[in-house]
PDB file of all heavy atoms in Angstrom:
ATOM      1  N   SER A1570      -5.565 -22.065   5.109  1.00  0.00           N
ATOM      2  CA  SER A1570      -6.287 -22.641   3.992  1.00  0.00           C
ATOM      3  C   SER A1570      -5.406 -22.741   2.762  1.00  0.00           C
ATOM      4  O   SER A1570      -5.339 -23.759   2.095  1.00  0.00           O
ATOM      5  CB  SER A1570      -7.497 -21.768   3.680  1.00  0.00           C
ATOM      6  OG  SER A1570      -8.202 -22.297   2.589  1.00  0.00           O
ATOM      7  N   LYS A1574      -3.629 -26.184   0.584  1.00  0.00           N
ATOM      8  CA  LYS A1574      -3.600 -26.428  -0.849  1.00  0.00           C
ATOM      9  C   LYS A1574      -2.180 -26.474  -1.359  1.00  0.00           C
ATOM     10  O   LYS A1574      -1.825 -27.288  -2.198  1.00  0.00           O
ATOM     11  CB  LYS A1574      -4.372 -25.334  -1.571  1.00  0.00           C
ATOM     12  CG  LYS A1574      -5.837 -25.545  -1.455  1.00  0.00           C
ATOM     13  CD  LYS A1574      -6.618 -24.647  -2.403  1.00  0.00           C
ATOM     14  CE  LYS A1574      -5.806 -23.464  -2.837  1.00  0.00           C
ATOM     15  NZ  LYS A1574      -6.372 -22.648  -3.843  1.00  0.00           N
TER      16      LYS A1574
ATOM     17  P    DT C 320      -7.994 -23.646  -8.520  1.00  0.00           P
ATOM     18  OP1  DT C 320      -7.028 -22.804  -9.251  1.00  0.00           O
ATOM     19  OP2  DT C 320      -7.612 -24.978  -8.027  1.00  0.00           O
ATOM     20  O5'  DT C 320      -8.549 -22.780  -7.308  1.00  0.00           O
ATOM     21  C5'  DT C 320      -9.124 -21.503  -7.573  1.00  0.00           C
ATOM     22  C4'  DT C 320      -9.769 -20.956  -6.312  1.00  0.00           C
ATOM     23  O4'  DT C 320     -10.954 -21.710  -5.988  1.00  0.00           O
ATOM     24  C3'  DT C 320      -8.853 -21.030  -5.094  1.00  0.00           C
ATOM     25  O3'  DT C 320      -8.746 -19.729  -4.538  1.00  0.00           O
ATOM     26  C2'  DT C 320      -9.582 -21.950  -4.134  1.00  0.00           C
ATOM     27  C1'  DT C 320     -11.018 -21.863  -4.588  1.00  0.00           C
ATOM     28  N1   DT C 320     -11.820 -23.081  -4.299  1.00  0.00           N
ATOM     29  C2   DT C 320     -13.041 -22.922  -3.669  1.00  0.00           C
ATOM     30  O2   DT C 320     -13.478 -21.834  -3.350  1.00  0.00           O
ATOM     31  N3   DT C 320     -13.712 -24.088  -3.429  1.00  0.00           N
ATOM     32  C4   DT C 320     -13.303 -25.363  -3.750  1.00  0.00           C
ATOM     33  O4   DT C 320     -14.009 -26.329  -3.471  1.00  0.00           O
ATOM     34  C5   DT C 320     -12.018 -25.445  -4.418  1.00  0.00           C
ATOM     35  C7   DT C 320     -11.471 -26.773  -4.824  1.00  0.00           C
ATOM     36  C6   DT C 320     -11.351 -24.317  -4.661  1.00  0.00           C
ATOM     37  P    DA C 321      -7.988 -19.598  -3.191  1.00  0.00           P
ATOM     38  OP1  DA C 321      -7.279 -18.314  -3.246  1.00  0.00           O
ATOM     39  OP2  DA C 321      -7.274 -20.817  -2.811  1.00  0.00           O
ATOM     40  O5'  DA C 321      -9.249 -19.427  -2.223  1.00  0.00           O
ATOM     41  C5'  DA C 321     -10.215 -18.424  -2.495  1.00  0.00           C
ATOM     42  C4'  DA C 321     -11.189 -18.314  -1.328  1.00  0.00           C
ATOM     43  O4'  DA C 321     -11.966 -19.512  -1.243  1.00  0.00           O
ATOM     44  C3'  DA C 321     -10.540 -18.109   0.033  1.00  0.00           C
ATOM     45  O3'  DA C 321     -11.321 -17.206   0.800  1.00  0.00           O
ATOM     46  C2'  DA C 321     -10.534 -19.502   0.635  1.00  0.00           C
ATOM     47  C1'  DA C 321     -11.787 -20.118   0.032  1.00  0.00           C
ATOM     48  N9   DA C 321     -11.702 -21.570  -0.156  1.00  0.00           N
ATOM     49  C8   DA C 321     -10.679 -22.299  -0.683  1.00  0.00           C
ATOM     50  N7   DA C 321     -10.888 -23.586  -0.716  1.00  0.00           N
ATOM     51  C5   DA C 321     -12.152 -23.728  -0.178  1.00  0.00           C
ATOM     52  C6   DA C 321     -12.962 -24.834   0.066  1.00  0.00           C
ATOM     53  N6   DA C 321     -12.606 -26.093  -0.220  1.00  0.00           N
ATOM     54  N1   DA C 321     -14.175 -24.633   0.613  1.00  0.00           N
ATOM     55  C2   DA C 321     -14.538 -23.382   0.894  1.00  0.00           C
ATOM     56  N3   DA C 321     -13.873 -22.250   0.714  1.00  0.00           N
ATOM     57  C4   DA C 321     -12.661 -22.493   0.167  1.00  0.00           C
ATOM     58  P    DT C 322     -11.007 -16.949   2.285  1.00  0.00           P
ATOM     59  OP1  DT C 322     -11.259 -15.522   2.503  1.00  0.00           O
ATOM     60  OP2  DT C 322      -9.717 -17.553   2.643  1.00  0.00           O
ATOM     61  O5'  DT C 322     -12.172 -17.768   3.003  1.00  0.00           O
ATOM     62  C5'  DT C 322     -13.529 -17.488   2.636  1.00  0.00           C
ATOM     63  C4'  DT C 322     -14.468 -18.299   3.532  1.00  0.00           C
ATOM     64  O4'  DT C 322     -14.356 -19.692   3.195  1.00  0.00           O
ATOM     65  C3'  DT C 322     -14.147 -18.164   5.021  1.00  0.00           C
ATOM     66  O3'  DT C 322     -15.361 -17.999   5.747  1.00  0.00           O
ATOM     67  C2'  DT C 322     -13.497 -19.488   5.368  1.00  0.00           C
ATOM     68  C1'  DT C 322     -14.156 -20.437   4.382  1.00  0.00           C
ATOM     69  N1   DT C 322     -13.319 -21.598   4.017  1.00  0.00           N
ATOM     70  C2   DT C 322     -13.894 -22.840   4.034  1.00  0.00           C
ATOM     71  O2   DT C 322     -15.067 -23.027   4.333  1.00  0.00           O
ATOM     72  N3   DT C 322     -13.063 -23.874   3.684  1.00  0.00           N
ATOM     73  C4   DT C 322     -11.736 -23.784   3.328  1.00  0.00           C
ATOM     74  O4   DT C 322     -11.088 -24.787   3.035  1.00  0.00           O
ATOM     75  C5   DT C 322     -11.193 -22.449   3.329  1.00  0.00           C
ATOM     76  C7   DT C 322      -9.774 -22.232   2.947  1.00  0.00           C
ATOM     77  C6   DT C 322     -11.993 -21.436   3.662  1.00  0.00           C
TER      78       DT C 322
END
Side-chain angles (χ1 to χ4, degrees):
Chain A
S1570 179
K1574 283 192 339 173

